[in-house]
């Protein structure tokens, strides 16, 4: 007899599967769901755009599946891979951009999570061949630092990681020419907040340009902000984590 999957059985199957994950893994799967919804609701990942990943431990990575709306994912949809990109579990295939994520994890042992999006204003800068590298706002200098533009590379190919590699060691946010934005950090909330901050900075740069051009910060003020950034990071790392 044909068995039909009802809404309820899908729900029960999901709950069963979720309860089979260790709690630390389930927590990270749920974080991927939560920040997938955030970037989607903010309009940073229209359609099936964007992908997110997080380190589970030194050898394992959880990543979003390819070809899915980041606003509609469930914890069980995430794909478990090793550091070489081999799929270890998951009902779907891993993001087509996994090579770019692996390049960041390989070159930056401090990075725990990565967010790739297509936020409209930052992506417009990337489409016009413009880096977000004008020192006109203290906030960006206090968080990600200025944002370079990596040369154009075909999505989902090794060209992408090759184009990013020169920038990965010294930057936490990179524009991908004619494509979008990549941010990473110490946790998913941290990587997500960098995405938000870069898109806000792009909006400010655009508005300042429309208003006749911003006044850049002086070198001495930039140097002071760099010191303030180190203090800010240190203070934020004390006490209970909010990133
Ligand atoms: P995936 O659906 O394979 O993650 O690709 C989306 C994307 O944004 C490609 O740049």
């Amino acid at each position: 007899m044909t068995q039909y999957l009802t809404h309820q059985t899908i729900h029960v199957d999901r709950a069963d599967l979720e309860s089979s994950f260790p709690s630390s893994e389930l927590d990270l799967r749920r974080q991927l769901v939560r920040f997938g919804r955030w970037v989607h609701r903010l309009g940073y990942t229209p359609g099936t755009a964007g992908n997110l990943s997080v380190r589970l431990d030194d050898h394992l990575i959880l990543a979003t599946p390819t070809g899915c709306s980041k606003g509609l994912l469930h914890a069980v949809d995430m794909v478990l891979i090793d550091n070489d990109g081999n799929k270890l579990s998951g009902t779907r295939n891993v993001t087509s951009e996994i090579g770019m994520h692996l390049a960041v994890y390989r070159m930056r042992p401090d990075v725990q999570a990565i967010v790739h999006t297509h936020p409209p204003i930052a992506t417009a800068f990337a489409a016009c061949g413009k880096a977000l590298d004008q020192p006109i706002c203290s906030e960006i200098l206090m968080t990600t630092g200025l944002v370079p533009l990596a040369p154009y590379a075909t999505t989902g190919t090794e060209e992408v990681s090759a184009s990013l590699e020169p920038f990965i060691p010294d930057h936490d946010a990179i524009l991908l020419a004619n494509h979008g934005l990549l941010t990473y950090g110490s946790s998913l909330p941290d990587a997500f907040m960098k995405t938000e901050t870069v898109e806000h900075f792009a909006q400010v740069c655009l508005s300042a340009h429309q208003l006749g051009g911003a006044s850049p910060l002086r070198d001495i003020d930039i140097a002071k902000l760099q010191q303030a950034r180190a203090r800010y990071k240190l203070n934020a790392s004390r006490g209970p984590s909010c990133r």
Side-chain angles (χ1 to χ4, degrees):
M1 197 171 77
T2 316
Q3 261 202 324
Y4 294 100
L5 275 184
T6 64
H7 225 67
Q8 208 174 9
T9 55
I10 291 169
H11 182 76
V12 170
D13 287 351
R14 243 183 230 138
D16 279 355
L17 273 169
E18 285 194 9
S19 65
S20 69
F21 298 126
S23 64
S24 53
E25 179 176 338
L26 184 56
D27 179 52
L28 290 173
R29 285 172 177 269
R30 287 181 172 157
Q31 283 195 33
L32 287 165
V33 171
R34 186 177 322 133
F35 290 103
R37 285 186 192 155
W38 268 105
V39 290
H40 185 256
R41 284 181 190 160
L42 286 166
Y44 297 174
T45 59
T48 61
N51 29 74
L52 299 87
S53 71
V54 62
R55 271 193 219 268
L56 190 55
D57 61 29
D58 287 348
H59 311 285
L60 301 174
I61 293 159
L62 279 169
T64 51
T66 187
C68 297
S69 165
K70 275 39 173 207
L72 296 173
L73 293 173
H74 297 277
V76 295
D77 296 328
M78 305 310 162
V79 186
L80 182 67
I81 58 162
D82 65 19
N83 283 335
D84 296 320
N86 300 307
K87 179 172 154 182
L88 303 176
S89 74
T91 53
R92 300 170 187 270
N93 289 328
V94 74
T95 169
S96 57
E97 295 283 22
I98 196 61
M100 159 173 96
H101 292 240
L102 294 176
V104 175
Y105 288 127
R106 198 170 50 245
M107 296 180 75
R108 291 282 301 270
D110 58 309
V111 166
Q112 297 298 322
I114 300 174
V115 173
H116 165 57
T117 53
H118 302 171
I121 303 173
T123 304
F125 274 80
C128 294
K130 292 182 190 299
L132 288 163
D133 58 359
Q134 300 298 311
I136 63 166
C137 275
S138 52
E139 187 61 24
I140 198 80
L141 293 163
M142 289 283 284
T143 50
T144 64
L146 298 175
V147 186
L149 175 73
Y152 178 73
T154 310
T155 305
T157 70
E158 284 175 12
E159 288 172 20
V160 179
S161 34
S163 76
L164 291 167
E165 274 167 16
F167 303 98
I168 292 172
D170 298 324
H171 297 275
D172 288 355
I174 306 170
L175 286 177
L176 289 76
N178 306 88
H179 183 168
L181 172 66
L182 185 70
T183 63
Y184 35 91
S186 58
S187 64
L188 262 175
D190 185 37
F192 164 74
M193 285 192 272
K194 285 173 178 161
T195 297
E196 263 189 321
T197 303
V198 171
E199 178 63 354
H200 178 259
F201 181 52
Q203 172 74 74
V204 171
C205 289
L206 178 61
S207 302
H209 177 72
Q210 288 166 337
L211 289 167
S215 319
L217 289 159
R218 297 171 308 162
D219 287 349
I220 186 167
D221 295 319
I222 296 170
K224 283 188 200 165
L225 281 168
Q226 271 152 0
Q227 286 167 9
R229 181 184 179 188
R231 279 198 307 276
Y232 185 66
K233 270 188 164 177
L234 188 67
N235 283 335
S237 68
R238 294 187 177 130
S241 173
C242 54
R243 320 195 270 170

